[in-house]
Amino acid sequence: LHVTDAQNINEICVLFCRAPLSTDTNQLSGLLLNEGNGDNGDDNGELKITQKIDWDRRFDLMTQHSAQHLVSAVALGEFGINTHTFSLGDEKLSYIDLIIDESWDKDYASDIFIKIEQKANEHIRNNLPMTPTWLDVDDPLFETKVRSRLLPEGIMGPIRLVEIANGDIDMNTCCGTHVKTLGQLQMIKFFRMEKVKPTIFRVYFAAAKRLMDVMNDMYNNQASLTSMLSCQETEQVQRVTQLLEYKRNTTIEMKNLREKLCASQAKEIVEKCKSNNHVAVVDVGEDMDMAYMTMLSNAVMEQIPKEENILLFVGGSDSFLLVGTPQKIDENGKKIAELMEGRGGGKNGKYQGKAPKIRTALDDVEMFLKTL
């Protein structure tokens, strides 16, 4: 069983566990009822439980939590900025929400937090001690020096604190695990910073091994981009900007070409409708999507009466678009789709859908359309 959480419920320590996927119901019930046997039990049938700390995870959480203490202490001590909330985040970045003045814009706040980052790393380089201690809530020092909040009303006696530099940098109520010295954090780096509310500024950060992992991922990504873009690291932004500009120009050019193609095809379809009993079945090709078929149908319908003609367009991904006389389309759209072994939906003279055998059934569909 893997312990995932522990809570104090009615003064009883309750462990929340996750059993291996291979554990069946009877086996799990036996564990819960203390019916130990075999390798899991002693001679009296008592269940033996072996607990093992996942030290890599424990140390990771210790370093991120300790880094938060340090950042919060520097923010408050140097700039009077209080911490609102904190999250260990995912396996990459943690974040701290800090309370700022509503008048601060993002640039002004970012400048201040760069200074906080620099000061925090100065303390790390000095390898200041981080130690637990206890202090009675009635001690005058508790009111003047301890950084704390939300203590239960009426609490009495000594409270566990965590100090940085013997309380010169920080003295905060906390029951968590922490590093012995700030040098174990190695370094703190702020990444994304954003104003999530008028008075809340969120700072994403990493320290210790998490920071090493993030930097390693960033380097590998940059190396991959350098290879893909065939340029130096310092040229990546310029190269991506060029590619985006090329894409924008190409998109505009393609749009203009599609409009010209649409106008040319529309003329041909109009003539076909006039000579083919007001019916036209048009295969626009596998490369054309529903957007193009819609644009083409609109161009055709601007030139011929919608009430007298029926058009079927076939495009890529087995898609089709049926437009024309509203009554005929609404009454026969489903049947036409079934002739192509497909399905779709629509109303008011427009029916669209998909059909796997769309191109092999076009002749039969055209003959049916002529009978309407």
Side-chain angles (χ1 to χ4, degrees):
L1 294 176
H2 299 278
V3 178
T4 59
D5 192 14
Q7 295 183 18
N8 187 332
I9 301 178
N10 296 328
E11 298 185 355
I12 298 175
C13 180
V14 179
L15 299 181
F16 293 81
C17 305
R18 183 182 72 250
L21 295 177
S22 59
T23 306
D24 60 32
T25 303
N26 293 332
Q27 188 178 10
L28 185 58
S29 297
L31 290 173
L32 296 177
L33 293 172
N34 263 1
E35 295 177 354
N37 56 73
D39 295 335
N40 290 328
D42 58 18
D43 295 337
N44 297 319
E46 296 292 335
L47 179 65
K48 292 182 178 179
I49 297 177
T50 301
Q51 295 184 350
K52 181 180 179 181
I53 293 176
D54 184 344
W55 178 249
D56 289 340
R57 175 172 170 78
R58 167 67 64 84
F59 190 71
D60 171 61
L61 299 180
M62 285 168 56
T63 53
Q64 306 315 301
H65 191 184
S66 298
Q68 176 267 315
H69 272 242
L70 177 57
V71 172
S72 294
V74 172
L76 180 61
E78 299 286 335
F79 298 94
I81 300 174
N82 278 297
T83 295
H84 182 265
T85 51
F86 160 65
S87 172
L88 288 170
D90 55 22
E91 296 180 356
K92 298 289 184 177
L93 299 179
S94 303
Y95 69 78
I96 307 174
D97 285 345
L98 298 116
I99 304 172
I100 63 172
D101 191 282
E102 189 171 355
S103 64
W104 291 7
D105 60 22
K106 183 178 179 181
D107 291 338
Y108 181 78
S110 296
D111 289 340
I112 289 180
F113 282 97
I114 288 173
K115 295 176 182 177
I116 293 174
E117 177 190 87
Q118 292 171 345
K119 190 64 176 180
N121 281 306
E122 179 183 324
H123 292 324
I124 291 174
R125 289 191 296 272
N126 291 332
N127 197 26
L128 300 178
M130 192 171 195
T131 53
T133 187
W134 295 81
L135 187 66
D136 197 290
V137 292
D138 294 328
D139 193 310
L141 191 63
F142 201 96
E143 288 292 330
T144 60
K145 199 169 183 179
V146 175
R147 180 170 61 89
S148 181
R149 62 172 188 159
L150 301 179
L151 288 177
E153 185 177 350
I155 191 169
M156 301 173 62
I159 299 293
R160 187 179 188 270
L161 310 174
V162 175
E163 298 179 322
I164 299 178
N166 300 316
D168 293 339
I169 302 298
D170 191 33
M171 184 181 286
N172 182 36
T173 53
C174 186
C175 61
T177 53
H178 296 274
V179 297
K180 292 183 178 180
T181 65
L182 296 185
Q184 291 180 289
L185 301 183
Q186 298 175 275
M187 180 180 178
I188 292 175
K189 179 60 185 171
F190 293 170
F191 289 92
R192 191 165 77 253
M193 293 184 280
E194 58 186 2
K195 198 173 184 180
V196 294
K197 291 183 179 180
T199 59
I200 301 297
F201 199 74
R202 179 168 294 175
V203 179
Y204 292 86
F205 73 93
K209 186 177 181 298
R210 278 202 196 188
L211 178 56
M212 300 302 106
D213 292 341
V214 171
M215 299 300 288
N216 185 57
D217 289 344
M218 292 175 67
Y219 178 82
N220 289 335
N221 289 338
Q222 189 174 56
S224 297
L225 285 172
T226 298
S227 176
M228 293 167 62
L229 297 172
S230 300
C231 67
Q232 298 297 318
E233 294 176 359
T234 55
E235 300 172 335
Q236 287 182 1
V237 174
Q238 179 183 359
R239 183 59 59 86
V240 171
T241 300
Q242 292 173 346
L243 290 173
L244 291 175
E245 181 65 17
Y246 175 77
K247 179 184 178 182
R248 188 182 73 86
N249 293 334
T250 301
T251 300
I252 293 174
E253 184 178 351
M254 287 297 297
K255 181 175 180 293
N256 292 334
L257 289 174
R258 282 163 67 100
E259 288 176 351
K260 291 180 180 179
L261 176 62
C262 180
S264 176
Q265 283 189 305
K267 292 180 180 179
E268 296 178 1
I269 296 171
V270 168
E271 294 302 320
K272 183 175 182 180
C273 281
K274 293 178 179 179
S275 61
N276 196 40
N277 197 26
H278 302 291
V279 170
V281 176
V282 184
D283 187 345
V284 297
E286 289 282 359
D287 296 332
M288 297 301 181
D289 55 14
M290 184 61 68
Y292 180 77
M293 290 190 288
T294 300
M295 181 172 65
L296 182 57
S297 68
N298 291 337
V300 173
M301 288 304 178
E302 288 178 356
Q303 303 179 51
I304 58 177
K306 180 178 181 180
E307 292 74 14
E308 300 178 3
N309 297 272
I310 298 177
L311 309 176
L312 174 63
F313 298 94
V314 178
S317 303
D318 299 326
S319 60
F320 69 87
L321 173 63
L322 185 66
V323 295
T325 308
Q327 182 180 356
K328 294 180 179 179
I329 298 298
D330 294 350
E331 292 177 354
N332 297 279
K334 182 177 180 180
K335 184 173 183 179
I336 295 169
E338 291 174 349
L339 288 174
M340 299 181 287
E341 297 188 14
R343 60 181 182 178
K347 60 181 180 178
N348 299 327
K350 182 178 180 180
Y351 192 97
Q352 66 185 58
K354 289 191 174 185
K357 295 186 177 181
I358 192 168
R359 285 176 169 81
T360 59
L362 291 183
D363 290 340
D364 293 337
V365 172
E366 184 172 359
M367 291 179 60
F368 176 76
L369 293 178
K370 288 179 180 180
T371 64
L372 297 180

